Amino acid sequence: MGGADVRAWIILLALTGLVSCLSSAAQAEPLSIDRKPTASLVLLLYPRSAAAGSLERTAMDLAKAEIPAFVAQEAEARSNKGSNPEALVPIEIDVGNERFFAPSRDDLSYFGVGLEGRDVDSIETAKTSLVLLVAFPSGGASYRNFARYARDLASKLDALIWDDETRQLFTLRAWDDRRLTGWDGEQPSVAGHIAIHMYEEEQRLRQVTLGMRRFGLPDLSVRDSDPQHAKEVAYIMNAVAQLLLAGQRPDTQGELSIDLDTLPNRSYREFLLAVAEKAASHKARVRLTKTEPEEGDNDNDQLDLSFVGDGGGSPLERQTSGLKYLFGARDKIISVQHTPELLAASQRAKDRLPALREKFRRGLAPAETLLVEVPLRTDRGGEEWMWISVRSWTVGTVVGILQGTPNDIRKLSAGAEITAKEADVFDYLLRHADGTE
């Protein structure tokens, strides 16, 4: 090789190293999660018996008494509208604003908090609403002061409170329980201030928060959850939201550590530790990446949340493993003999499978889950019977998520996707939203 060739190789290697360093530097750039300086909130109050003409006056008089800083800044902000049309007005009070609508009776079966029959009736017959649009610094006591003001105004007007961001309708007592209790100094228990919605899309369960904008922070979403673990995933979404509110941020890989024992808010920390098994490590790591809101989400920045696993595997396997570290394992291996009585019960279950398949394909009720028990080939050539949470079911074939880690199949762990023959299904469980089967 000539001198020119050698120089060419040296330059090529140097450039390759430079590109590699630049690539590493780009990958090492931390995920930027900036807390927006100004947060906003929209509430609607539905009075049961107040004259429309007095609503604005009542609201403004109480605002002057309880949140004078908002009122004092309002005139200044309005005067700046000419030079700055985007200027946020600290508080706007309107009656019967056409941009907002009263929730229907069907909506309230999902989004009502603490409602009784007369509350639902009063919403259906509501002739007007009081709309409160507020902007405030995302840190400090402003949000808490406004939440108190909304409670006191609702009390004066005998009104229900609709939170347009979380899409929930509250009674006065429910508003107190969710929005005004659970504070640890200036830090609220985030779980009481946001909602988590679940959507089934193409045999996957997606979960997304609503309401983080009031803290000047992005909402969180999990693209794929096992319905059997949806509740625990929601707990962790709340925990991550709590960490972000407390100022914790992901590392250069976008990873964030969760430790239930040191979660910033005391009330939510105690709640999660009561749910978790004492023997669990209570620790896990998650990864946050920027993502775009989907149809139906709030118009807010959003972060995708996924679990980080030690040994790779599918996202659902890492999710199941992470939840196991946080809350403990609840699956037990039980050896069962297939007695004549058990086989007869299994045959009765098999006879119902075609009807069950059609029920699944038409769509289960919200929060219902279907599990089937199928045999898996062990490393030693035997069979181990395991439950899977059904994700799709066609004639002859069932696909589901493994609910436990097999005892004698080294390559499988809880959360793995399993494909089984319908003819091999031994039993099934249909779990309803209230936990019954």
PDB file of all heavy atoms in Angstrom, residues 52-81:
ATOM      1  N   ALA A  52     -79.207  33.543  36.050  1.00  0.00           N
ATOM      2  CA  ALA A  52     -78.045  33.722  35.186  1.00  0.00           C
ATOM      3  C   ALA A  52     -77.425  35.109  35.347  1.00  0.00           C
ATOM      4  O   ALA A  52     -76.216  35.272  35.292  1.00  0.00           O
ATOM      5  CB  ALA A  52     -78.444  33.481  33.730  1.00  0.00           C
ATOM      6  N   GLY A  53     -78.248  36.110  35.572  1.00  0.00           N
ATOM      7  CA  GLY A  53     -77.731  37.471  35.668  1.00  0.00           C
ATOM      8  C   GLY A  53     -76.815  37.700  36.849  1.00  0.00           C
ATOM      9  O   GLY A  53     -76.028  38.646  36.846  1.00  0.00           O
ATOM     10  N   SER A  54     -76.898  36.885  37.897  1.00  0.00           N
ATOM     11  CA  SER A  54     -76.106  37.105  39.104  1.00  0.00           C
ATOM     12  C   SER A  54     -74.831  36.283  39.143  1.00  0.00           C
ATOM     13  O   SER A  54     -74.019  36.471  40.041  1.00  0.00           O
ATOM     14  CB  SER A  54     -76.947  36.772  40.340  1.00  0.00           C
ATOM     15  OG  SER A  54     -77.232  35.374  40.375  1.00  0.00           O
ATOM     16  N   LEU A  55     -74.649  35.399  38.211  1.00  0.00           N
ATOM     17  CA  LEU A  55     -73.512  34.479  38.283  1.00  0.00           C
ATOM     18  C   LEU A  55     -72.176  35.198  38.168  1.00  0.00           C
ATOM     19  O   LEU A  55     -71.274  34.987  38.985  1.00  0.00           O
ATOM     20  CB  LEU A  55     -73.631  33.421  37.182  1.00  0.00           C
ATOM     21  CG  LEU A  55     -74.783  32.424  37.297  1.00  0.00           C
ATOM     22  CD1 LEU A  55     -74.744  31.449  36.118  1.00  0.00           C
ATOM     23  CD2 LEU A  55     -74.714  31.671  38.602  1.00  0.00           C
ATOM     24  N   GLU A  56     -72.027  36.046  37.136  1.00  0.00           N
ATOM     25  CA  GLU A  56     -70.751  36.724  36.940  1.00  0.00           C
ATOM     26  C   GLU A  56     -70.424  37.636  38.121  1.00  0.00           C
ATOM     27  O   GLU A  56     -69.273  37.693  38.565  1.00  0.00           O
ATOM     28  CB  GLU A  56     -70.773  37.527  35.640  1.00  0.00           C
ATOM     29  CG  GLU A  56     -70.719  36.667  34.387  1.00  0.00           C
ATOM     30  CD  GLU A  56     -70.696  37.511  33.132  1.00  0.00           C
ATOM     31  OE1 GLU A  56     -71.783  37.851  32.643  1.00  0.00           O
ATOM     32  OE2 GLU A  56     -69.591  37.817  32.658  1.00  0.00           O
ATOM     33  N   ARG A  57     -71.425  38.335  38.616  1.00  0.00           N
ATOM     34  CA  ARG A  57     -71.188  39.246  39.741  1.00  0.00           C
ATOM     35  C   ARG A  57     -70.755  38.474  40.982  1.00  0.00           C
ATOM     36  O   ARG A  57     -69.812  38.854  41.678  1.00  0.00           O
ATOM     37  CB  ARG A  57     -72.448  40.063  40.028  1.00  0.00           C
ATOM     38  CG  ARG A  57     -72.241  41.103  41.128  1.00  0.00           C
ATOM     39  CD  ARG A  57     -73.430  42.029  41.259  1.00  0.00           C
ATOM     40  NE  ARG A  57     -74.655  41.307  41.625  1.00  0.00           N
ATOM     41  CZ  ARG A  57     -75.657  41.078  40.790  1.00  0.00           C
ATOM     42  NH1 ARG A  57     -75.581  41.479  39.530  1.00  0.00           N
ATOM     43  NH2 ARG A  57     -76.747  40.442  41.190  1.00  0.00           N
ATOM     44  N   THR A  58     -71.432  37.355  41.245  1.00  0.00           N
ATOM     45  CA  THR A  58     -71.068  36.532  42.400  1.00  0.00           C
ATOM     46  C   THR A  58     -69.650  36.006  42.263  1.00  0.00           C
ATOM     47  O   THR A  58     -68.858  36.030  43.214  1.00  0.00           O
ATOM     48  CB  THR A  58     -72.038  35.349  42.542  1.00  0.00           C
ATOM     49  OG1 THR A  58     -73.372  35.852  42.695  1.00  0.00           O
ATOM     50  CG2 THR A  58     -71.679  34.487  43.746  1.00  0.00           C
ATOM     51  N   ALA A  59     -69.314  35.546  41.064  1.00  0.00           N
ATOM     52  CA  ALA A  59     -67.983  34.985  40.829  1.00  0.00           C
ATOM     53  C   ALA A  59     -66.901  36.046  40.993  1.00  0.00           C
ATOM     54  O   ALA A  59     -65.861  35.804  41.613  1.00  0.00           O
ATOM     55  CB  ALA A  59     -67.916  34.370  39.440  1.00  0.00           C
ATOM     56  N   MET A  60     -67.118  37.250  40.450  1.00  0.00           N
ATOM     57  CA  MET A  60     -66.094  38.293  40.527  1.00  0.00           C
ATOM     58  C   MET A  60     -65.959  38.834  41.940  1.00  0.00           C
ATOM     59  O   MET A  60     -64.839  39.098  42.412  1.00  0.00           O
ATOM     60  CB  MET A  60     -66.422  39.411  39.546  1.00  0.00           C
ATOM     61  CG  MET A  60     -65.322  40.465  39.459  1.00  0.00           C
ATOM     62  SD  MET A  60     -63.679  39.774  39.093  1.00  0.00           S
ATOM     63  CE  MET A  60     -63.871  39.347  37.352  1.00  0.00           C
ATOM     64  N   ASP A  61     -67.055  38.975  42.658  1.00  0.00           N
ATOM     65  CA  ASP A  61     -66.978  39.457  44.042  1.00  0.00           C
ATOM     66  C   ASP A  61     -66.166  38.496  44.900  1.00  0.00           C
ATOM     67  O   ASP A  61     -65.334  38.917  45.713  1.00  0.00           O
ATOM     68  CB  ASP A  61     -68.384  39.620  44.631  1.00  0.00           C
ATOM     69  CG  ASP A  61     -69.133  40.819  44.042  1.00  0.00           C
ATOM     70  OD1 ASP A  61     -68.465  41.657  43.400  1.00  0.00           O
ATOM     71  OD2 ASP A  61     -70.363  40.890  44.216  1.00  0.00           O
ATOM     72  N   LEU A  62     -66.408  37.195  44.704  1.00  0.00           N
ATOM     73  CA  LEU A  62     -65.658  36.215  45.482  1.00  0.00           C
ATOM     74  C   LEU A  62     -64.191  36.186  45.051  1.00  0.00           C
ATOM     75  O   LEU A  62     -63.289  36.013  45.883  1.00  0.00           O
ATOM     76  CB  LEU A  62     -66.280  34.825  45.330  1.00  0.00           C
ATOM     77  CG  LEU A  62     -65.703  33.741  46.251  1.00  0.00           C
ATOM     78  CD1 LEU A  62     -65.971  34.070  47.710  1.00  0.00           C
ATOM     79  CD2 LEU A  62     -66.283  32.379  45.908  1.00  0.00           C
ATOM     80  N   ALA A  63     -63.939  36.380  43.766  1.00  0.00           N
ATOM     81  CA  ALA A  63     -62.556  36.405  43.276  1.00  0.00           C
ATOM     82  C   ALA A  63     -61.786  37.562  43.895  1.00  0.00           C
ATOM     83  O   ALA A  63     -60.622  37.413  44.288  1.00  0.00           O
ATOM     84  CB  ALA A  63     -62.538  36.504  41.759  1.00  0.00           C
ATOM     85  N   LYS A  64     -62.419  38.732  44.014  1.00  0.00           N
ATOM     86  CA  LYS A  64     -61.754  39.885  44.623  1.00  0.00           C
ATOM     87  C   LYS A  64     -61.397  39.609  46.077  1.00  0.00           C
ATOM     88  O   LYS A  64     -60.382  40.093  46.582  1.00  0.00           O
ATOM     89  CB  LYS A  64     -62.662  41.113  44.533  1.00  0.00           C
ATOM     90  CG  LYS A  64     -62.833  41.640  43.118  1.00  0.00           C
ATOM     91  CD  LYS A  64     -63.829  42.788  43.079  1.00  0.00           C
ATOM     92  CE  LYS A  64     -64.011  43.295  41.646  1.00  0.00           C
ATOM     93  NZ  LYS A  64     -65.047  44.375  41.575  1.00  0.00           N
ATOM     94  N   ALA A  65     -62.234  38.794  46.744  1.00  0.00           N
ATOM     95  CA  ALA A  65     -61.990  38.503  48.156  1.00  0.00           C
ATOM     96  C   ALA A  65     -60.964  37.386  48.346  1.00  0.00           C
ATOM     97  O   ALA A  65     -60.133  37.447  49.268  1.00  0.00           O
ATOM     98  CB  ALA A  65     -63.305  38.119  48.831  1.00  0.00           C
ATOM     99  N   GLU A  66     -60.985  36.365  47.482  1.00  0.00           N
ATOM    100  CA  GLU A  66     -60.163  35.171  47.727  1.00  0.00           C
ATOM    101  C   GLU A  66     -58.913  35.087  46.861  1.00  0.00           C
ATOM    102  O   GLU A  66     -57.904  34.515  47.294  1.00  0.00           O
ATOM    103  CB  GLU A  66     -61.009  33.905  47.527  1.00  0.00           C
ATOM    104  CG  GLU A  66     -62.097  33.747  48.562  1.00  0.00           C
ATOM    105  CD  GLU A  66     -62.638  32.321  48.628  1.00  0.00           C
ATOM    106  OE1 GLU A  66     -62.126  31.439  47.907  1.00  0.00           O
ATOM    107  OE2 GLU A  66     -63.588  32.104  49.409  1.00  0.00           O
ATOM    108  N   ILE A  67     -58.974  35.586  45.642  1.00  0.00           N
ATOM    109  CA  ILE A  67     -57.788  35.524  44.764  1.00  0.00           C
ATOM    110  C   ILE A  67     -57.551  36.916  44.162  1.00  0.00           C
ATOM    111  O   ILE A  67     -57.581  37.089  42.946  1.00  0.00           O
ATOM    112  CB  ILE A  67     -57.953  34.460  43.651  1.00  0.00           C
ATOM    113  CG1 ILE A  67     -59.316  34.588  42.944  1.00  0.00           C
ATOM    114  CG2 ILE A  67     -57.773  33.062  44.213  1.00  0.00           C
ATOM    115  CD1 ILE A  67     -59.454  33.659  41.733  1.00  0.00           C
ATOM    116  N   PRO A  68     -57.296  37.896  45.012  1.00  0.00           N
ATOM    117  CA  PRO A  68     -57.164  39.279  44.517  1.00  0.00           C
ATOM    118  C   PRO A  68     -56.024  39.456  43.526  1.00  0.00           C
ATOM    119  O   PRO A  68     -56.109  40.322  42.650  1.00  0.00           O
ATOM    120  CB  PRO A  68     -56.902  40.077  45.805  1.00  0.00           C
ATOM    121  CG  PRO A  68     -56.376  39.077  46.798  1.00  0.00           C
ATOM    122  CD  PRO A  68     -57.091  37.801  46.467  1.00  0.00           C
ATOM    123  N   ALA A  69     -54.970  38.618  43.634  1.00  0.00           N
ATOM    124  CA  ALA A  69     -53.850  38.752  42.697  1.00  0.00           C
ATOM    125  C   ALA A  69     -54.293  38.475  41.259  1.00  0.00           C
ATOM    126  O   ALA A  69     -53.870  39.157  40.324  1.00  0.00           O
ATOM    127  CB  ALA A  69     -52.720  37.809  43.088  1.00  0.00           C
ATOM    128  N   PHE A  70     -55.187  37.489  41.085  1.00  0.00           N
ATOM    129  CA  PHE A  70     -55.705  37.178  39.749  1.00  0.00           C
ATOM    130  C   PHE A  70     -56.474  38.378  39.198  1.00  0.00           C
ATOM    131  O   PHE A  70     -56.312  38.768  38.042  1.00  0.00           O
ATOM    132  CB  PHE A  70     -56.634  35.972  39.800  1.00  0.00           C
ATOM    133  CG  PHE A  70     -55.941  34.651  39.930  1.00  0.00           C
ATOM    134  CD1 PHE A  70     -55.478  34.213  41.154  1.00  0.00           C
ATOM    135  CD2 PHE A  70     -55.756  33.832  38.829  1.00  0.00           C
ATOM    136  CE1 PHE A  70     -54.847  32.996  41.279  1.00  0.00           C
ATOM    137  CE2 PHE A  70     -55.121  32.619  38.938  1.00  0.00           C
ATOM    138  CZ  PHE A  70     -54.659  32.193  40.174  1.00  0.00           C
ATOM    139  N   VAL A  71     -57.320  38.963  40.048  1.00  0.00           N
ATOM    140  CA  VAL A  71     -58.176  40.063  39.606  1.00  0.00           C
ATOM    141  C   VAL A  71     -57.341  41.300  39.318  1.00  0.00           C
ATOM    142  O   VAL A  71     -57.565  42.009  38.326  1.00  0.00           O
ATOM    143  CB  VAL A  71     -59.246  40.365  40.673  1.00  0.00           C
ATOM    144  CG1 VAL A  71     -60.115  41.533  40.229  1.00  0.00           C
ATOM    145  CG2 VAL A  71     -60.103  39.131  40.929  1.00  0.00           C
ATOM    146  N   ALA A  72     -56.335  41.549  40.163  1.00  0.00           N
ATOM    147  CA  ALA A  72     -55.496  42.734  39.979  1.00  0.00           C
ATOM    148  C   ALA A  72     -54.732  42.664  38.668  1.00  0.00           C
ATOM    149  O   ALA A  72     -54.516  43.687  38.003  1.00  0.00           O
ATOM    150  CB  ALA A  72     -54.531  42.866  41.150  1.00  0.00           C
ATOM    151  N   GLN A  73     -54.313  41.445  38.293  1.00  0.00           N
ATOM    152  CA  GLN A  73     -53.542  41.284  37.063  1.00  0.00           C
ATOM    153  C   GLN A  73     -54.427  41.260  35.820  1.00  0.00           C
ATOM    154  O   GLN A  73     -53.940  41.431  34.698  1.00  0.00           O
ATOM    155  CB  GLN A  73     -52.739  39.985  37.119  1.00  0.00           C
ATOM    156  CG  GLN A  73     -51.666  39.980  38.200  1.00  0.00           C
ATOM    157  CD  GLN A  73     -51.146  38.586  38.489  1.00  0.00           C
ATOM    158  OE1 GLN A  73     -51.412  37.647  37.742  1.00  0.00           O
ATOM    159  NE2 GLN A  73     -50.422  38.456  39.582  1.00  0.00           N
ATOM    160  N   GLU A  74     -55.739  41.059  36.025  1.00  0.00           N
ATOM    161  CA  GLU A  74     -56.632  40.928  34.872  1.00  0.00           C
ATOM    162  C   GLU A  74     -56.673  42.207  34.050  1.00  0.00           C
ATOM    163  O   GLU A  74     -56.525  42.181  32.822  1.00  0.00           O
ATOM    164  CB  GLU A  74     -58.045  40.572  35.333  1.00  0.00           C
ATOM    165  CG  GLU A  74     -59.017  40.433  34.173  1.00  0.00           C
ATOM    166  CD  GLU A  74     -60.464  40.445  34.625  1.00  0.00           C
ATOM    167  OE1 GLU A  74     -60.737  40.873  35.756  1.00  0.00           O
ATOM    168  OE2 GLU A  74     -61.312  40.034  33.823  1.00  0.00           O
ATOM    169  N   ALA A  75     -56.855  43.371  34.731  1.00  0.00           N
ATOM    170  CA  ALA A  75     -56.964  44.641  34.001  1.00  0.00           C
ATOM    171  C   ALA A  75     -55.682  44.924  33.230  1.00  0.00           C
ATOM    172  O   ALA A  75     -55.720  45.366  32.071  1.00  0.00           O
ATOM    173  CB  ALA A  75     -57.267  45.765  34.981  1.00  0.00           C
ATOM    174  N   GLU A  76     -54.531  44.648  33.856  1.00  0.00           N
ATOM    175  CA  GLU A  76     -53.255  44.881  33.181  1.00  0.00           C
ATOM    176  C   GLU A  76     -53.124  43.998  31.944  1.00  0.00           C
ATOM    177  O   GLU A  76     -52.692  44.452  30.878  1.00  0.00           O
ATOM    178  CB  GLU A  76     -52.104  44.610  34.145  1.00  0.00           C
ATOM    179  CG  GLU A  76     -50.738  44.830  33.519  1.00  0.00           C
ATOM    180  CD  GLU A  76     -49.613  44.501  34.497  1.00  0.00           C
ATOM    181  OE1 GLU A  76     -49.915  44.208  35.673  1.00  0.00           O
ATOM    182  OE2 GLU A  76     -48.447  44.521  34.067  1.00  0.00           O
ATOM    183  N   ALA A  77     -53.499  42.732  32.075  1.00  0.00           N
ATOM    184  CA  ALA A  77     -53.395  41.813  30.949  1.00  0.00           C
ATOM    185  C   ALA A  77     -54.322  42.233  29.812  1.00  0.00           C
ATOM    186  O   ALA A  77     -53.954  42.168  28.635  1.00  0.00           O
ATOM    187  CB  ALA A  77     -53.720  40.395  31.400  1.00  0.00           C
ATOM    188  N   ARG A  78     -55.531  42.664  30.163  1.00  0.00           N
ATOM    189  CA  ARG A  78     -56.466  43.087  29.116  1.00  0.00           C
ATOM    190  C   ARG A  78     -55.958  44.349  28.400  1.00  0.00           C
ATOM    191  O   ARG A  78     -56.137  44.511  27.199  1.00  0.00           O
ATOM    192  CB  ARG A  78     -57.850  43.330  29.718  1.00  0.00           C
ATOM    193  CG  ARG A  78     -58.566  42.057  30.124  1.00  0.00           C
ATOM    194  CD  ARG A  78     -60.012  42.326  30.519  1.00  0.00           C
ATOM    195  NE  ARG A  78     -60.661  41.130  31.005  1.00  0.00           N
ATOM    196  CZ  ARG A  78     -61.151  40.164  30.214  1.00  0.00           C
ATOM    197  NH1 ARG A  78     -61.043  40.267  28.907  1.00  0.00           N
ATOM    198  NH2 ARG A  78     -61.738  39.110  30.739  1.00  0.00           N
ATOM    199  N   SER A  79     -55.321  45.227  29.162  1.00  0.00           N
ATOM    200  CA  SER A  79     -54.809  46.451  28.544  1.00  0.00           C
ATOM    201  C   SER A  79     -53.653  46.171  27.597  1.00  0.00           C
ATOM    202  O   SER A  79     -53.388  46.947  26.685  1.00  0.00           O
ATOM    203  CB  SER A  79     -54.362  47.439  29.621  1.00  0.00           C
ATOM    204  OG  SER A  79     -53.231  46.920  30.320  1.00  0.00           O
ATOM    205  N   ASN A  80     -52.976  45.030  27.822  1.00  0.00           N
ATOM    206  CA  ASN A  80     -51.859  44.653  26.953  1.00  0.00           C
ATOM    207  C   ASN A  80     -52.304  43.902  25.705  1.00  0.00           C
ATOM    208  O   ASN A  80     -51.473  43.575  24.857  1.00  0.00           O
ATOM    209  CB  ASN A  80     -50.853  43.783  27.722  1.00  0.00           C
ATOM    210  CG  ASN A  80     -50.119  44.581  28.773  1.00  0.00           C
ATOM    211  OD1 ASN A  80     -49.983  45.793  28.656  1.00  0.00           O
ATOM    212  ND2 ASN A  80     -49.650  43.901  29.820  1.00  0.00           N
ATOM    213  N   LYS A  81     -53.594  43.583  25.623  1.00  0.00           N
ATOM    214  CA  LYS A  81     -54.074  42.788  24.496  1.00  0.00           C
ATOM    215  C   LYS A  81     -53.835  43.492  23.166  1.00  0.00           C
ATOM    216  O   LYS A  81     -53.608  42.850  22.148  1.00  0.00           O
ATOM    217  CB  LYS A  81     -55.578  42.503  24.653  1.00  0.00           C
ATOM    218  CG  LYS A  81     -55.898  41.340  25.583  1.00  0.00           C
ATOM    219  CD  LYS A  81     -55.542  40.013  24.961  1.00  0.00           C
ATOM    220  CE  LYS A  81     -55.997  38.842  25.801  1.00  0.00           C
ATOM    221  NZ  LYS A  81     -55.656  37.546  25.187  1.00  0.00           N
TER     222      LYS A  81
END
